[in-house]
Amino acid sequence: MNGAPSSLVSPGLWGFVAFFVLAIALYLLMRNMNARMRRMSYRAEELRKEAEAEAGRDRPAASRAPEADGPAAGTPGDGTGADGTGTPAGDGQDEQHRTA
């Protein structure tokens, strides 16, 4: 152009204004996001407490008491099955085809 070195060229006032507007927009977006995250966390905690309270209300009083000697035989997940053979009840096998 007119022979001026490139180190003397600066963005000027409009470059500063554009950068300032972007910085303000970023600040507002981050503030909004933090508020939404806080609100979401609070709502999730409230839903979890509500679900626990509802589950506690729905269970009968006898099932709320802790068992002294562990779970009863034949309960799901203990591997004994309802008939004590080690095969879960209702697995689709007939009694005559089952091996002990």
Side-chain angles (χ1 to χ4, degrees):
M1 299 231 186
N2 58 5
S6 63
S7 64
L8 296 178
V9 177
S10 67
L13 178 66
W14 291 112
F16 173 75
V17 169
F19 185 79
F20 188 73
V21 167
L22 286 174
I24 295 295
L26 178 64
Y27 170 75
L28 292 174
L29 284 171
M30 293 296 290
R31 189 172 147 200
N32 187 324
M33 182 192 69
N34 282 334
R36 288 177 184 269
M37 294 294 282
R38 207 174 316 119
R39 195 176 317 131
M40 185 177 65
S41 176
Y42 175 75
R43 286 180 182 166
E45 183 69 24
E46 288 297 315
L47 287 175
R48 185 187 62 80
K49 285 180 182 178
E50 184 179 306
E52 285 178 357
E54 187 174 312
R57 248 190 338 256
D58 291 344
R59 292 190 309 188
S63 68
R64 288 186 202 149
E67 298 176 8
D69 52 359
T75 57
D78 68 351
T80 60
D83 57 358
T85 61
T87 307
D91 64 349
Q93 295 181 355
D94 294 337
E95 287 295 324
Q96 53 187 292
H97 294 292
R98 195 174 285 168
T99 59

